[in-house]
Amino acid sequence: MGNDWRTRIRQEIDEACLLWDETSRAKLSTDYHHFSPVLVKELQGKMAECIVSPRNEKELETILAFAAEEKVPVTVRGNGTGNYGQCVPLTGGIVVHFARMNRIAEIGDGYMIAEPGARMGRMEQAARAKGQEMLAMPSTYQSATIGGFLNGGFGGIGSIRWGTIWDGMVQSMKLKTIESPPATLYTTGNDMLPYLHTYGTVGVLAEVRVKLAPRVEWMQLAATFARWQDAVRFAQDVAADDAVGKRLVSAHEWPIPRYFQPLRLPEGRSAVLLEIDERHEAAVRSKCAEWNGSIELTVPAEKYHKGTGVSDFSWNHTTLWARKADPDMTYLQTTYSWDKLFEQMAALKAEFPEYINHLEFNRSAGQLRIAGLPLMRFESADRLNRIIDRCRELGVAVSNPHTWDLEDGGRSYEHHKLWELKRRNDPHLLLNPMKLRPAAGQAR
């Protein structure tokens, strides 16, 4: 990579698409990896040399061709709402910021076509105006982009009903290779799977067609319980009942609800946050009573997406609220066994008293799953690793959010197949370098 690329890029690319000042480069070279004290230390000072913001597909192709010719590393970025350091450029170069490629191209019966920089809140609003809605969204949907979500997310609001990004949410993808000139790839079905949740290391998303579901009138509830076990049993009951329509089932052990100041929940009680089909309110209230709970907050369907909602305290927003109150708080990402959940939680709590439970119910390949995003006060990387090791010994799967490495952080596909795609679509290995680690004994 020669020093003169910075001069040539001004000749090849409209100056209106370029940012060079240090403030912009620092801001757009980071994400929410400050959730992890480990990543804060490891990624300190990593910054792009230039930010490029394409306005359309043609400009994106010009950028990718330029980078291939000059051998400049390229890191793609949505809106930086992820928290693994996946859009932090480890080797400098260019960050391609998709904020201006944000067009919703088409909404039809059961689908939407959008550019990668389209914010998911706007997509949801547009879909609901047409009597439809998104299948799954992160808790940061108001600011998160569809490209960032597909490259770095997996589930969120709606995944209890429809599953994750690998469960039919995406109908087709248009991608670009990084070569001169870039090739255009159209993928559907199983061919798309290796491109999901791979941090933009194996191809550059240019457009996506996502599936839409019929619009449901969702009401919101917050239920509290004196006993954490009752809160979990209630959450399991609602999650497993196919007769109850739900978009969110999120359970929080006390003292986590203390961090949710806008909800004003009672002291000393664990909480379950719900988005349910308004037609099933009576059934959910009955289940709450059976498990000795109390409904503390009811938001009718006509106020859905108006002001603060219960989803603003779910998934990784939970961690955000906790860290607002205590910056030493951090978290893990786990998956429990449905039939061993209480045994696993008890064993972890006995050995690590700082482990505070936060559960999110979702589906994967049609099966109910319990994702954990437990909170804990950070003591040391060594203790964090001991907790991770103990989780795995107990059969609790861990996708480590304290690493920028794609494989350790929960890659989505066979490693060797990702490398086959990378070598084909990124022959100079310029896309998000170092995030996709070679397998043992494998050369880059």
Side-chain angles (χ1 to χ4, degrees):
M1 182 172 62
N3 290 330
D4 61 343
W5 72 263
R6 298 167 192 80
T7 301
R8 186 188 161 205
I9 196 172
R10 289 183 167 92
Q11 300 167 350
E12 298 285 329
I13 297 170
D14 190 334
E15 188 71 27
C17 298
L18 305 177
L19 290 172
W20 298 96
D21 64 285
E22 185 173 355
T23 299
S24 296
R25 289 187 295 115
K27 178 181 177 181
L28 297 174
S29 295
T30 192
D31 56 15
Y32 274 71
H33 70 265
H34 59 75
F35 280 16
S36 166
V38 176
L39 288 179
V40 166
K41 183 177 180 180
E42 291 184 352
L43 298 178
Q44 185 175 9
K46 303 296 184 183
M47 194 188 311
E49 294 156 89
C50 180
I51 308 296
V52 188
S53 299
R55 294 166 292 194
N56 51 54
E57 190 174 324
K58 183 177 180 181
E59 288 184 345
L60 175 61
E61 289 181 340
T62 300
I63 293 162
L64 297 177
F66 171 85
E69 292 165 9
E70 293 288 335
K71 307 300 184 293
V72 182
V74 169
T75 303
V76 293
R77 173 192 173 86
N79 204 34
T81 62
N83 49 334
Y84 315 107
Q86 66 260 49
C87 64
V88 176
L90 298 180
T91 56
I94 292 169
V95 161
V96 176
H97 183 35
F98 279 100
R100 297 164 82 180
M101 278 187 67
N102 59 17
R103 187 171 60 103
I104 296 174
E106 184 178 344
I107 302 176
D109 185 10
Y111 73 91
M112 178 185 293
I113 299 172
E115 292 180 325
R119 294 197 180 193
M120 298 189 71
R122 190 163 64 91
M123 294 171 68
E124 166 81 350
Q125 183 181 36
R128 290 184 72 82
K130 298 286 188 180
Q132 303 180 89
E133 64 186 30
M134 300 289 288
L135 268 63
M137 306 181 293
S139 62
T140 55
Y141 69 92
Q142 291 289 10
S143 55
T145 66
I146 186 64
F149 181 52
L150 297 181
N151 275 289
F154 84 99
I157 305 159
S159 59
I160 180 65
R161 183 177 177 89
W162 299 108
T164 69
I165 58 174
W166 296 284
D167 292 308
M169 173 183 171
V170 188
Q171 294 183 331
S172 65
M173 301 170 73
K174 181 198 286 188
L175 299 120
K176 300 292 180 179
T177 64
I178 183 164
E179 51 192 335
S180 185
T184 301
L185 309 174
Y186 296 92
T187 63
T188 60
N190 290 337
D191 290 341
M192 293 185 298
L193 298 182
Y195 291 99
L196 299 175
H197 196 79
T198 46
Y199 299 0
T201 58
V202 294
V204 179
L205 182 64
E207 187 178 82
V208 62
R209 172 173 164 145
V210 296
K211 183 178 179 180
L212 299 178
R215 172 174 168 157
V216 174
E217 299 308 314
W218 301 109
M219 68 178 305
Q220 302 166 77
L221 300 172
T224 68
F225 302 79
R227 299 176 68 248
W228 168 239
Q229 291 82 357
D230 288 340
V232 175
R233 293 295 189 194
F234 166 69
Q236 286 183 308
D237 194 357
V238 174
D241 189 346
D242 292 336
V244 174
K246 55 262 175 184
R247 206 180 195 191
L248 180 73
V249 180
S250 178
H252 305 265
E253 184 181 18
W254 181 263
I256 293 175
R258 174 182 287 169
Y259 302 130
F260 304 159
Q261 291 295 322
L263 298 185
R264 299 180 181 177
L265 299 176
E267 287 282 311
R269 294 173 67 86
S270 296
V272 178
L273 308 179
L274 301 154
E275 290 185 0
I276 61 166
D277 187 324
E278 64 177 359
R279 296 171 295 182
H280 304 145
E281 179 183 4
V284 172
R285 287 183 178 274
S286 176
K287 291 178 186 294
C288 183
E290 289 174 15
W291 292 108
N292 306 307
S294 173
I295 301 294
E296 309 289 350
L297 175 70
T298 302
V299 181
E302 57 264 28
K303 293 187 177 180
Y304 192 56
H305 288 339
K306 296 177 181 178
T308 301
V310 298
S311 68
D312 295 312
F313 305 89
S314 68
W315 291 90
N316 249 331
H317 255 80
T318 302
T319 312
L320 182 63
W321 283 100
R323 285 179 50 77
K324 282 183 178 180
D326 183 351
D328 289 331
M329 296 297 282
T330 189
Y331 80 118
L332 287 177
Q333 293 181 163
T334 63
T335 302
Y336 296 96
S337 303
W338 187 278
D339 57 342
K340 295 181 180 179
L341 171 63
F342 288 92
E343 174 188 331
Q344 291 169 332
M345 288 193 299
L348 287 165
K349 180 74 79 172
E351 190 166 344
F352 305 101
E354 70 269 32
Y355 192 99
I356 312 172
N357 289 289
H358 164 202
L359 307 178
E360 297 286 349
F361 291 78
N362 62 99
R363 289 184 182 272
S364 179
Q367 299 298 310
L368 272 173
R369 300 196 327 165
I370 306 173
L373 291 91
L375 294 175
M376 60 212 68
R377 186 168 283 104
F378 180 77
E379 294 184 18
S380 68
D382 180 66
R383 185 164 179 83
L384 200 58
N385 288 329
R386 290 206 304 274
I387 296 174
I388 292 172
D389 290 342
R390 185 62 178 135
C391 282
R392 289 169 174 161
E393 289 171 3
L394 291 166
V396 178
V398 179
S399 294
N400 187 0
H402 301 279
T403 176
W404 44 258
D405 180 273
L406 178 58
E407 183 171 20
D408 291 343
R411 61 179 169 79
S412 65
Y413 218 71
E414 294 96 332
H415 212 59
H416 71 280
K417 290 187 178 179
L418 293 183
W419 270 99
E420 288 174 10
L421 287 175
K422 186 167 182 67
R423 289 195 173 93
R424 186 188 315 155
N425 301 339
D426 178 19
H428 305 296
L429 308 185
L430 299 172
L431 286 175
N432 216 349
M434 299 176 65
K435 301 288 175 64
L436 181 58
R437 173 166 45 90
Q442 181 185 37
R444 286 191 181 272

